[in-house]
Amino acid sequence: MQLTSLGLVRGIIGYFVGLVVGMAVVMISRLALGMSAWDQEAGWVGGIIFATIGFMLAVGSMTDWLKWTRGVETPFHHGPPVGKPAWTRYFSVDYNHKVIGIQYGVTGFLLLLIGGSFALVFRAELADSGISFLQPGTYNTFLSMHAWVALASILLGVGGMANYLVPLMIGAEDMAFPRLNAFAYWINVPAIITLMISMLFGWDSGWTAYPPLSLRGPVGYQMVFWAIFSIGLSSILGSLNLIVTMLTMRPKGMTLFRMPIFCWAILATSIIQLTATQLIGLAFLMLSFERTLGMPFFNPLYNALGENIGGQPLLFQHLFWFYSHPAVYVFVLPGLGIISELLPVFARKPLFGYRWIALSSLAIALVGFLVWGHHMFTSGYGEYLRVVFMISTLLVAVPTGVKFFSWLGTLWGGRLTFPTPMLFTLGAISVFLIGGLSGPILATAATDLFLHDSYFVVGHFHATIFGGFVFPFFAAIYYWYPKITGRMYNEMLGKIHFWLMTPGFWVMSLAQMTAGTMGMRRRIADYDPALGVEPVHMLITIAGFVIAFSILLMIYNLFTSAEVGALAGNNPWRSRSPEWQIPSPVPEHSYAQPIAVVGEPYDYGLAGSTYVAMAGAGDD
Amino acid sequence: MLKLPQSSTDRKHFVIVGALVFVATIALGFFLLAILPVKAQYSVQAEPIRWLFQLHVWLIAFLFALVVVFMLYALIVFRKRKDDDSEGEHFEGNTTLEVVWTVIPLILVIIFSFIGFQTLRDATRGGDEVQVEAVGFQWAWTFNYPNGVVSQEMVLPVNKPALISLRATDVIHSFWVVEWGPKQDLVPGMTTRMHITPTKVGEFKVRCAELCGLSHWSMVATVRVVPEEEYIAWMNQKLVEQNIQTASR
């Protein structure tokens, strides 16, 4: 087998060919206009745009569409590529949603490891005061990269869960637009390469990239802007696909309020992604244009009379947070959906208040659009705006509270068992509770004026993201692992993972908040020991490394269990959901016959009830 | 040994959980106050911030205790016993309960919005008996007084309401003296303001709280709060040093 038969390898070659071509096009154009050939801003922007296109062409994600323009038919190929080993399909363009889901999930997991490692690097530096091995410039780059790599990993992780699970859960053959689905995944890969290249040049604004700082720094910024633009494009296309899939491909009998609850979470998430992502894409392109072409959007410029004829820095913050706040709900709503999905299975009880949980996801999504200004309490915008955004932000507590209380109602009176996925689900609730309850302190503007840009915010944010994404993501991996691989993971290792990671995270989170109230600022390469935060930092660093070690155990577990794990059978968790009624691993065509929904999804304990009628499918 | 009722809706469960939530709230409240020492304490504006923070802590302690105690209680009492293969009790929800736990948080939100509004007003208002302009740039501070005095450290008289005007010349910075409480960004192209009435004599640091590039971490200047006589003496000395005519004030 030739290496270039792998789409990924061809794509990477295409990327670098495109990079050279793009730079050459820019240089020739500049020469033709009588300018000096090389300008690193313009050169790199041209290079990155062509590199991204080069990757997408070479990987084959646009091949079918290009054939259509020539009137060529492109029959759908199912199954592994002909004449190649089965594993190669994961490294090439494949239209099966289960393959794409795994591609998303594994890429997301890898990015989580990379982003987490960046954090470990600067946590080691921060363990004591004084600059030991990480110089401030490098520190800033690591810190900024940690954020965007981790955020990209979450977006891909969410994409992984949604792509793998949604079609299975609604009994659909595939996503509505399989080719678009593949395109939406693959556009992330050149974006990630671009993001990694930015490290060679450095950038130092943190993920927020506030101008004017982001207009002044090294050329690494350009790569970040365009990488995030591409990842945003993936979000938009992917969410469009998911919405259409859920709205049009449900089986007979599955009304919206009979969908598995995870689908509701993805529906709410997709609405946000489809409508808000444009704002950050736009904001980052404006930054790029201002750097490359001198368009005065954000940086103030003065004429001889001292009047500002340039831009307004705060405009960027509005655009940025108009996406980036709702984005937080993109990160956590799917995870909260996983919690709601798993609790009934391990409580052997109906989901308490299904409609309330379903609608609370939508409510969080909608209120989420109205709160962006709480990131700007100290920014110097109109003072009355602080009150408006304080009230809208506090409102988020209401639908979130509905979820928590409904989860308790689900547990109450159950027959609870505690395998690893359930442990991570309960851990998620505890951690998300820390994140959620520390929120109102930051929502009431007065306390935020003190805590803004302090470690308290770091603690709050990581608790919401770990509780809302990382813990549920791990719960989901352990839970669906038998469905994906056909084998069980190692329960003992799973439990050790949980009992290391969860207390580790509680300690890390609370210690970060402690440091914040003591006056520790965010994003600083070194701190003043006079604040008394040194022991707190040591604690955070130790806890961080414990969490990292526990994740290594998980990786070991997932790798070895795929070979030696006990055979799982169709339905090890005795779930009612359709994907558990078919063989594990799921066959190429998930459902041999269309399924029909004949009952409620979570009627555990109701004698004689079923959720789906399989119509002859899924006999082993 | 306490004999627990079989039915999950038995009142006995809720009495026990209620008592545990009460105990846990008290314990957790004091624990959180101990590990979250709000260091904002030496200005008039810091007082409402500390007060509101502590109010939050007690509400958080209660809500955290409520959810976690209910959860842990359920995990223990409703765990599956060894030889029990039955399913859980079948109830799909309770609209009254859902309405209750929607409406009560909503009321809390309204109350906190009102308290938050008042606290914000108290934490941001003050007089302008002393005025000083703080200019932030990569990566240092300069302080300009209305009489023309320019200083590398900020000196303020204690217990006098001060109005600090904030200006950035390059990128966004943020003015934060931890012990005073509130912070305020400095944005190129506009002047922002904050009111501070320092209440304690001493030497503090103003640290930049908005990532502003390479040496952001070390963008620090000294802030001295001194008795009024000392402030006047310092100002006079500066006027002489910098050769400024007092008449030009």
Side-chain angles (χ1 to χ4, degrees):
Chain A
M1 193 195 71
Q2 277 198 326
L3 208 53
T4 48
S5 71
L6 290 181
L8 178 65
V9 175
R10 286 198 311 275
I12 292 173
I13 295 169
Y15 182 95
F16 287 101
V17 171
L19 191 67
V20 172
V21 171
M23 286 179 171
V25 167
V26 170
M27 286 163 79
I28 292 165
S29 314
R30 286 179 62 90
L31 282 175
L33 293 168
M35 295 186 275
S36 66
W38 180 243
D39 170 80
Q40 64 166 358
E41 300 280 327
W44 274 102
V45 170
I48 292 161
I49 294 171
F50 276 74
T52 307
I53 297 169
F55 184 99
M56 296 309 283
L57 285 172
V59 77
S61 66
M62 289 146 83
T63 310
D64 280 4
W65 291 334
L66 293 174
K67 282 185 183 164
W68 294 356
T69 65
R70 288 183 277 126
V72 180
E73 295 281 323
T74 55
F76 223 92
H77 172 75
H78 293 284
V82 185
K84 294 183 205 170
W87 60 266
T88 57
R89 68 190 305 197
Y90 291 96
F91 294 88
S92 302
V93 170
D94 193 293
Y95 296 145
N96 188 316
H97 77 95
K98 294 182 288 285
V99 174
I100 295 174
I102 299 293
Q103 287 172 332
Y104 263 112
V106 171
T107 315
F109 200 98
L110 282 175
L111 288 179
L112 195 67
L113 298 182
I114 298 171
S117 312
F118 291 159
L120 292 182
V121 172
F122 62 75
R123 275 320 318 172
E125 168 65 47
L126 291 170
D128 57 1
S129 64
I131 288 171
S132 13
F133 66 93
L134 207 56
Q135 292 309 307
T138 328
Y139 175 92
N140 287 347
T141 301
F142 268 89
L143 162 121
S144 309
M145 284 296 290
H146 163 68
W148 266 124
V149 172
L151 295 177
S153 87
I154 297 170
L155 287 171
L156 273 97
V158 167
M161 294 192 287
N163 272 291
Y164 193 88
L165 293 175
V166 166
L168 279 180
M169 285 182 162
I170 65 168
E173 165 72 358
D174 207 306
M175 296 280 280
F177 310 114
R179 293 173 181 85
L180 188 68
N181 201 21
F183 183 91
Y185 163 71
W186 281 102
I187 187 102
N188 287 295
V189 182
I192 292 162
I193 299 172
T194 307
L195 194 58
M196 294 302 166
I197 293 177
S198 80
M199 283 195 85
L200 301 176
F201 300 88
W203 54 292
D204 55 4
S205 64
W207 75 293
T208 46
Y210 280 3
L213 181 61
S214 56
L215 298 172
R216 291 169 178 243
V219 72
Y221 278 105
Q222 295 279 18
M223 291 149 213
V224 178
F225 301 152
W226 287 89
I228 302 312
F229 182 81
S230 295
I231 292 174
L233 186 59
S234 161
S235 281
I236 295 169
L237 299 176
S239 56
L240 175 81
N241 210 343
L242 283 161
I243 291 175
V244 175
T245 305
M246 279 182 279
L247 292 186
T248 64
M249 296 174 74
R250 295 194 313 281
K252 188 162 164 286
M254 188 187 277
T255 58
L256 280 177
F257 283 105
R258 277 184 172 178
M259 286 198 297
I261 197 74
F262 177 72
C263 295
W264 270 101
I266 292 298
L267 187 60
T269 305
S270 300
I271 292 171
I272 304 172
Q273 285 193 301
L274 186 62
T275 51
T277 313
Q278 288 80 349
L279 272 288
I280 195 167
L282 171 77
F284 274 21
L285 282 198
M286 286 167 88
L287 284 175
S288 180
F289 291 158
E290 182 154 359
R291 285 180 72 114
T292 320
L293 305 169
M295 294 180 178
F297 295 122
F298 303 123
N299 200 21
L301 267 176
Y302 301 95
N303 64 10
L305 299 170
E307 295 158 333
N308 182 4
I309 53 164
Q312 166 51 272
L314 290 191
L315 170 63
F316 176 84
Q317 299 184 16
H318 286 288
L319 293 172
F320 179 85
W321 289 113
F322 194 85
Y323 165 76
S324 295
H325 190 84
V328 178
Y329 300 127
V330 170
F331 304 155
V332 305
L333 282 176
L336 305 186
I338 294 287
I339 296 175
S340 305
E341 188 67 46
L342 265 55
L343 283 182
V345 177
F346 294 109
R348 313 305 304 165
K349 262 189 79 232
L351 180 63
F352 192 95
Y354 172 100
R355 282 166 189 260
W356 287 83
I357 292 190
L359 292 177
S360 71
S361 291
L362 279 187
I364 291 175
L366 297 179
V367 179
F369 278 104
L370 309 175
V371 304
W372 78 91
H374 69 225
H375 296 272
M376 299 168 65
F377 282 149
T378 67
S379 69
Y381 63 10
E383 286 194 14
Y384 63 95
L385 288 174
R386 289 170 170 168
V387 180
V388 176
F389 285 116
M390 174 175 74
I391 297 170
S392 64
T393 302
L394 287 170
L395 276 177
V396 179
V398 177
T400 315
V402 166
K403 283 195 192 291
F404 274 108
F405 295 129
S406 300
W407 292 333
L408 292 180
T410 307
L411 291 173
W412 200 256
R415 295 288 179 277
L416 303 166
T417 52
F418 306 100
T420 308
M422 178 60 160
L423 288 178
F424 273 94
T425 305
L426 297 170
I429 295 176
S430 76
V431 169
F432 193 67
L433 192 60
I434 296 175
L437 288 177
S438 54
I441 294 191
L442 299 168
T444 50
T447 33
D448 183 72
L449 295 184
F450 174 60
L451 293 169
H452 184 82
D453 269 328
S454 79
Y455 256 57
F456 194 90
V457 176
V458 177
H460 161 73
F461 177 76
H462 283 84
T464 51
I465 293 301
F466 268 72
F469 174 75
V470 179
F471 276 80
F473 184 50
F474 288 177
I477 290 175
Y478 283 117
Y479 181 77
W480 278 284
Y481 184 83
K483 184 50 64 185
I484 295 167
T485 64
R487 290 179 185 272
M488 291 303 283
Y489 59 87
N490 181 314
E491 190 67 55
M492 176 60 82
L493 277 176
K495 287 194 164 133
I496 296 173
H497 172 201
F498 174 80
W499 285 112
L500 284 174
M501 180 162 156
T502 312
F505 190 83
W506 289 334
V507 168
M508 186 174 92
S509 203
L510 290 177
Q512 283 169 337
M513 292 182 196
T514 302
T517 56
M518 293 172 82
M520 174 70 196
R521 297 170 286 158
R522 289 173 81 171
R523 298 169 162 174
I524 50 173
D526 189 23
Y527 49 89
D528 186 353
L531 287 170
V533 291
E534 209 163 8
V536 183
H537 270 296
M538 182 56 90
L539 198 61
I540 299 172
T541 300
I542 293 171
F545 275 87
V546 170
I547 294 168
F549 172 73
S550 76
I551 293 174
L552 290 183
L553 287 184
M554 178 190 193
I555 296 168
Y556 173 79
N557 191 352
L558 298 182
F559 263 100
T560 52
S561 301
E563 298 287 325
V564 302
L567 288 176
N570 284 8
N571 194 358
W573 311 119
R574 298 190 293 135
S575 164
R576 294 164 61 94
S577 197
E579 79 271 22
W580 293 103
Q581 318 309 323
I582 53 176
S584 318
V586 185
E588 181 70 24
H589 295 274
S590 314
Y591 298 94
Q593 306 282 322
I595 64 169
V597 165
V598 293
E600 299 295 327
Y602 300 104
D603 264 344
Y604 294 98
L606 185 67
S609 80
T610 47
Y611 178 34
V612 284
M614 297 306 291
D619 13 11
D620 324 31
Chain B
M1 186 65 198
L2 198 61
K3 185 97 176 76
L4 288 170
Q6 292 291 306
S7 161
S8 71
T9 49
D10 196 298
R11 186 167 295 170
K12 208 166 170 185
H13 288 300
F14 298 97
V15 172
I16 298 169
V17 171
L20 290 173
V21 168
F22 179 77
V23 175
T25 302
I26 306 285
L28 204 59
F30 283 111
F31 171 71
L32 289 176
L33 288 179
I35 65 162
L36 299 173
V38 174
K39 289 289 170 67
Q41 41 200 341
Y42 298 144
S43 82
V44 168
Q45 288 76 9
E47 285 312 310
I49 291 176
R50 276 167 63 81
W51 176 81
L52 181 58
F53 189 93
Q54 283 162 9
L55 185 69
H56 271 299
V57 164
W58 284 107
L59 184 69
I60 289 170
F62 169 68
L63 290 173
F64 196 88
L66 183 72
V67 174
V68 168
V69 169
F70 255 100
M71 190 165 103
L72 289 177
Y73 185 86
L75 300 190
I76 294 165
V77 174
F78 302 117
R79 70 184 188 280
K80 179 175 134 26
R81 306 303 202 277
K82 272 239 154 48
D83 38 11
D84 178 7
D85 275 336
S86 65
E87 300 278 82
E89 292 172 45
H90 188 84
F91 49 86
E92 292 175 9
N94 182 324
T95 307
T96 317
L97 269 180
E98 298 277 1
V99 171
V100 166
W101 62 51
T102 305
V103 170
I104 292 179
L106 199 57
I107 294 170
L108 277 174
V109 163
I110 293 167
I111 294 172
F112 264 80
S113 296
F114 184 68
I115 296 174
F117 164 69
Q118 287 189 317
T119 322
L120 177 64
R121 186 194 58 200
D122 295 344
T124 50
R125 71 175 167 189
D128 57 357
E129 285 186 40
V130 185
Q131 292 188 21
V132 55
E133 181 189 56
V135 181
F137 51 94
Q138 287 174 325
W139 291 280
W141 301 87
T142 300
F143 304 96
N144 303 323
Y145 288 81
N147 57 12
V149 164
V150 178
S151 171
Q152 301 312 306
E153 59 170 8
M154 184 161 153
V155 180
L156 288 181
V158 70
N159 291 328
K160 288 274 177 202
L163 173 64
I164 306 173
S165 304
L166 299 160
R167 205 157 55 77
T169 58
D170 40 30
V171 302
I172 298 174
H173 303 280
S174 190
F175 181 97
W176 191 26
V177 178
V178 174
E179 293 81 356
W180 287 351
K183 64 175 71 65
Q184 175 63 54
D185 290 2
L186 295 67
V187 185
M190 59 196 274
T191 302
T192 51
R193 286 179 182 81
M194 72 187 291
H195 291 283
I196 284 295
T197 313
T199 54
K200 188 170 159 67
V201 169
E203 192 174 299
F204 308 104
K205 297 271 187 245
V206 51
R207 300 183 175 92
C208 177
E210 178 68 52
L211 180 51
C212 60
L214 185 65
S215 298
H216 162 61
W217 62 283
S218 64
M219 183 171 160
V220 179
T222 302
V223 173
R224 283 199 296 126
V225 178
V226 296
E228 195 175 3
E229 315 79 68
E230 202 178 312
Y231 172 73
I232 295 168
W234 175 83
M235 189 60 85
N236 286 335
Q237 190 200 341
K238 280 279 172 190
L239 287 169
V240 174
E241 272 175 23
Q242 295 177 16
N243 229 343
I244 299 167
Q245 299 296 316
T246 339
S248 72
R249 283 173 89 166

